Amino acid sequence: MKSKDEKMIADRIRRPALLDKIVSAEEAAALIKDGMIIGMSGFTRAGDAKAVPIAMAARARTEPFKITLITGASLGHDVDRMLTEAKVLARRMPFQADRTLRAAINRGEVMFIDQHLSETVEHLRSNQLGPIDYAIVEAAAITEEGNIVPSTSVGNSASFAVLAKKIIVEINLSQPAELEGLHDIYFPGKRPTRVPIPVVTCDSRVGFPFVPIDPDKIAAIVVTDEKDSASTIEPQDADTSAIASHLIRFFEDEVKKGRLDLTLQPLQAGIGTIANSVLTGLADGPFHHLRMYSEVLQDSTFELFDAGKLAFASGSSITLSTACAERVFADFHKYKEHLVLRPQEISNHPEVIRRLGVIGINTALELDIYGNVNSTHVNGTHMMNGIGGSGDFARNAFLSIFVTKSLAKEGKLSSIVPMVPHVDHTEHDVDIIVTENGLADLRELAPRERATEIIQNCVHPSFREALMSYFERACARGGHTPHLLEEALSWHTHAQATGTMHKS
């Protein structure tokens, strides 16, 4: 008679021949060799491999080796930190959010390739990158045929599993078995004869509920029982509430003008406190039957469901706070029929985003008076996290919205400057800017008009006069996009020298 644990494992690994592949994390980690390219599951702390990478870090302390690590997005459980400290990472892509790894990247010790999240798999598929030696992917189950059922994220893990030479599967018993059936795994065909991706509504299902693989590629299975890392989203504050209020009023005005109706268009929101707060704020508006076509389904997604405002949400991962996760997964059947998780190359695909008319809401690190947005580099040089999926959505959205607080570092820095020292999203891809001070609608405006709109509506009062002075003096010198090149980056250099952008 099987023990309870044996029965649970058998329920999750339903192809009996694969039970012989169960090994320890240390045995699986021993398969990874120096110089390999590894694809690892994980998208914004969800559905990440949890045991094998930690065993890899431990092994590297006595048996040094280096790898190229490719993921969907950021990892949880301090995996990037541990791999960095163990000097395992030679190259990392396409996104990260770890302080220790970030420091190593900025010291030049780890080569970080910052990519649009929709593009990584395209590079793998066309042999511009790779091949992948091992895919290390978390799963909720393996089917009778040997196919992989992902857990709380898909990200790039489906394509990693298909394209890799060998696969290491982490079966996570803490991930709800009810996740099976949630996923929609679709792979675009080969170019140049690729047919259109048949996602025509947020709730379109066009693929498999599992990752179809050759089970003979599974080299090892590790059984784990570790929950996803909780999201680090902070609660709303006065500024994020104000940003949400400005955006709600803008949407209401768009409805009055006949450009939108009260169901809006499918919504996308980048990861983070501000974007999450803005979506949560929509619960207080007159909107209903909302839909999401996004990357990360955050707390706000389920708050909108619970408020009766959201009809359906499509994403690539579910990343929740501890309290929200406990509530959602304890009653998952209530949400499951209203959710789908897709590979990130589909959730972020330009064709689909443009077709659905998505409203994209993303966070700016800083922006300039003409609407160019820096999402990634402090002072133009030091990487924070990466561009993520913001570029996929900003370039192709029906409305491209960027939100930010107008001040940083306790009011010492302005988030709106004369010229950003690094551009991730050009003025051509930015429609709306929102801070706690107000909203600037930049659609159909020339550069000089955009600058006036941004300065008057979005800049904090403590910097507004200085920024207007810069703009007026630049206009006096002339140009379609006026600048004083000798002063354009002076706000940043002054802050580097003194700790503040205030000059008096």
mmCIF file of all heavy atoms in Angstrom, residues 27-44:
data_model
loop_
_atom_site.group_PDB
_atom_site.id
_atom_site.type_symbol
_atom_site.label_atom_id
_atom_site.label_comp_id
_atom_site.label_asym_id
_atom_site.label_seq_id
_atom_site.Cartn_x
_atom_site.Cartn_y
_atom_site.Cartn_z
ATOM 1 N N GLU A 27 21.782 15.715 -7.066
ATOM 2 C CA GLU A 27 22.079 14.844 -8.206
ATOM 3 C C GLU A 27 21.710 15.526 -9.520
ATOM 4 O O GLU A 27 22.429 15.416 -10.513
ATOM 5 C CB GLU A 27 21.322 13.529 -8.060
ATOM 6 C CG GLU A 27 21.841 12.630 -6.950
ATOM 7 C CD GLU A 27 20.949 11.426 -6.740
ATOM 8 O OE1 GLU A 27 19.793 11.600 -6.311
ATOM 9 O OE2 GLU A 27 21.418 10.295 -7.006
ATOM 10 N N ALA A 28 20.589 16.240 -9.517
ATOM 11 C CA ALA A 28 20.185 16.958 -10.729
ATOM 12 C C ALA A 28 21.157 18.089 -11.043
ATOM 13 O O ALA A 28 21.542 18.303 -12.203
ATOM 14 C CB ALA A 28 18.768 17.507 -10.566
ATOM 15 N N ALA A 29 21.583 18.810 -10.006
ATOM 16 C CA ALA A 29 22.514 19.925 -10.207
ATOM 17 C C ALA A 29 23.842 19.446 -10.782
ATOM 18 O O ALA A 29 24.510 20.193 -11.510
ATOM 19 C CB ALA A 29 22.743 20.657 -8.890
ATOM 20 N N ALA A 30 24.226 18.230 -10.477
ATOM 21 C CA ALA A 30 25.498 17.684 -10.968
ATOM 22 C C ALA A 30 25.503 17.514 -12.482
ATOM 23 O O ALA A 30 26.574 17.377 -13.093
ATOM 24 C CB ALA A 30 25.791 16.352 -10.287
ATOM 25 N N LEU A 31 24.320 17.537 -13.098
ATOM 26 C CA LEU A 31 24.234 17.408 -14.555
ATOM 27 C C LEU A 31 24.673 18.689 -15.268
ATOM 28 O O LEU A 31 25.010 18.653 -16.457
ATOM 29 C CB LEU A 31 22.801 17.065 -14.970
ATOM 30 C CG LEU A 31 22.235 15.732 -14.451
ATOM 31 C CD1 LEU A 31 20.748 15.622 -14.781
ATOM 32 C CD2 LEU A 31 23.008 14.565 -15.043
ATOM 33 N N ILE A 32 24.669 19.803 -14.561
ATOM 34 C CA ILE A 32 24.992 21.095 -15.161
ATOM 35 C C ILE A 32 26.509 21.278 -15.174
ATOM 36 O O ILE A 32 27.159 21.207 -14.131
ATOM 37 C CB ILE A 32 24.315 22.240 -14.390
ATOM 38 C CG1 ILE A 32 22.816 21.957 -14.198
ATOM 39 C CG2 ILE A 32 24.545 23.562 -15.102
ATOM 40 C CD1 ILE A 32 22.061 21.719 -15.484
ATOM 41 N N LYS A 33 27.050 21.549 -16.363
ATOM 42 C CA LYS A 33 28.504 21.638 -16.524
ATOM 43 C C LYS A 33 28.917 23.056 -16.933
ATOM 44 O O LYS A 33 28.110 23.849 -17.413
ATOM 45 C CB LYS A 33 28.975 20.643 -17.590
ATOM 46 C CG LYS A 33 28.547 19.199 -17.343
ATOM 47 C CD LYS A 33 29.079 18.650 -16.025
ATOM 48 C CE LYS A 33 28.675 17.190 -15.832
ATOM 49 N NZ LYS A 33 29.121 16.666 -14.511
ATOM 50 N N ASP A 34 30.189 23.319 -16.753
ATOM 51 C CA ASP A 34 30.754 24.624 -17.084
ATOM 52 C C ASP A 34 30.503 24.966 -18.551
ATOM 53 O O ASP A 34 30.671 24.137 -19.440
ATOM 54 C CB ASP A 34 32.256 24.614 -16.801
ATOM 55 C CG ASP A 34 32.891 25.975 -17.012
ATOM 56 O OD1 ASP A 34 32.477 26.925 -16.331
ATOM 57 O OD2 ASP A 34 33.785 26.082 -17.872
ATOM 58 N N GLY A 35 30.081 26.204 -18.778
ATOM 59 C CA GLY A 35 29.881 26.691 -20.139
ATOM 60 C C GLY A 35 28.524 26.411 -20.729
ATOM 61 O O GLY A 35 28.234 26.844 -21.854
ATOM 62 N N MET A 36 27.660 25.710 -20.016
ATOM 63 C CA MET A 36 26.340 25.380 -20.548
ATOM 64 C C MET A 36 25.423 26.600 -20.602
ATOM 65 O O MET A 36 25.600 27.579 -19.881
ATOM 66 C CB MET A 36 25.671 24.294 -19.703
ATOM 67 C CG MET A 36 26.186 22.894 -19.963
ATOM 68 S SD MET A 36 25.220 21.654 -19.039
ATOM 69 C CE MET A 36 25.850 20.150 -19.776
ATOM 70 N N ILE A 37 24.437 26.506 -21.495
ATOM 71 C CA ILE A 37 23.340 27.471 -21.555
ATOM 72 C C ILE A 37 22.130 26.814 -20.918
ATOM 73 O O ILE A 37 21.707 25.728 -21.344
ATOM 74 C CB ILE A 37 23.027 27.889 -23.000
ATOM 75 C CG1 ILE A 37 24.242 28.594 -23.619
ATOM 76 C CG2 ILE A 37 21.807 28.798 -23.039
ATOM 77 C CD1 ILE A 37 24.059 28.962 -25.073
ATOM 78 N N ILE A 38 21.602 27.450 -19.879
ATOM 79 C CA ILE A 38 20.504 26.882 -19.107
ATOM 80 C C ILE A 38 19.271 27.771 -19.241
ATOM 81 O O ILE A 38 19.326 28.982 -19.027
ATOM 82 C CB ILE A 38 20.889 26.772 -17.607
ATOM 83 C CG1 ILE A 38 22.182 25.974 -17.442
ATOM 84 C CG2 ILE A 38 19.739 26.161 -16.810
ATOM 85 C CD1 ILE A 38 22.141 24.566 -17.968
ATOM 86 N N GLY A 39 18.139 27.170 -19.588
ATOM 87 C CA GLY A 39 16.845 27.853 -19.564
ATOM 88 C C GLY A 39 16.115 27.452 -18.297
ATOM 89 O O GLY A 39 15.956 26.262 -18.021
ATOM 90 N N MET A 40 15.680 28.431 -17.526
ATOM 91 C CA MET A 40 15.082 28.140 -16.226
ATOM 92 C C MET A 40 13.714 28.812 -16.112
ATOM 93 O O MET A 40 13.551 29.968 -16.486
ATOM 94 C CB MET A 40 16.010 28.631 -15.107
ATOM 95 C CG MET A 40 15.664 28.125 -13.720
ATOM 96 S SD MET A 40 16.865 28.724 -12.489
ATOM 97 C CE MET A 40 18.347 27.865 -12.996
ATOM 98 N N SER A 41 12.743 28.080 -15.598
ATOM 99 C CA SER A 41 11.404 28.652 -15.445
ATOM 100 C C SER A 41 11.406 29.724 -14.373
ATOM 101 O O SER A 41 12.278 29.787 -13.512
ATOM 102 C CB SER A 41 10.384 27.561 -15.107
ATOM 103 O OG SER A 41 10.614 27.036 -13.808
ATOM 104 N N GLY A 42 10.396 30.576 -14.430
ATOM 105 C CA GLY A 42 10.258 31.664 -13.474
ATOM 106 C C GLY A 42 9.921 32.956 -14.175
ATOM 107 O O GLY A 42 10.581 33.353 -15.152
ATOM 108 N N PHE A 43 8.884 33.616 -13.704
ATOM 109 C CA PHE A 43 8.453 34.892 -14.275
ATOM 110 C C PHE A 43 7.915 35.744 -13.130
ATOM 111 O O PHE A 43 6.878 35.422 -12.548
ATOM 112 C CB PHE A 43 7.373 34.667 -15.344
ATOM 113 C CG PHE A 43 7.103 35.868 -16.207
ATOM 114 C CD1 PHE A 43 7.585 35.925 -17.505
ATOM 115 C CD2 PHE A 43 6.368 36.936 -15.729
ATOM 116 C CE1 PHE A 43 7.341 37.032 -18.307
ATOM 117 C CE2 PHE A 43 6.116 38.040 -16.513
ATOM 118 C CZ PHE A 43 6.596 38.090 -17.807
ATOM 119 N N THR A 44 8.674 36.783 -12.785
ATOM 120 C CA THR A 44 8.323 37.663 -11.665
ATOM 121 C C THR A 44 8.024 36.867 -10.395
ATOM 122 O O THR A 44 6.959 36.991 -9.816
ATOM 123 C CB THR A 44 7.155 38.601 -11.997
ATOM 124 O OG1 THR A 44 6.015 37.831 -12.381
ATOM 125 C CG2 THR A 44 7.523 39.551 -13.103
#
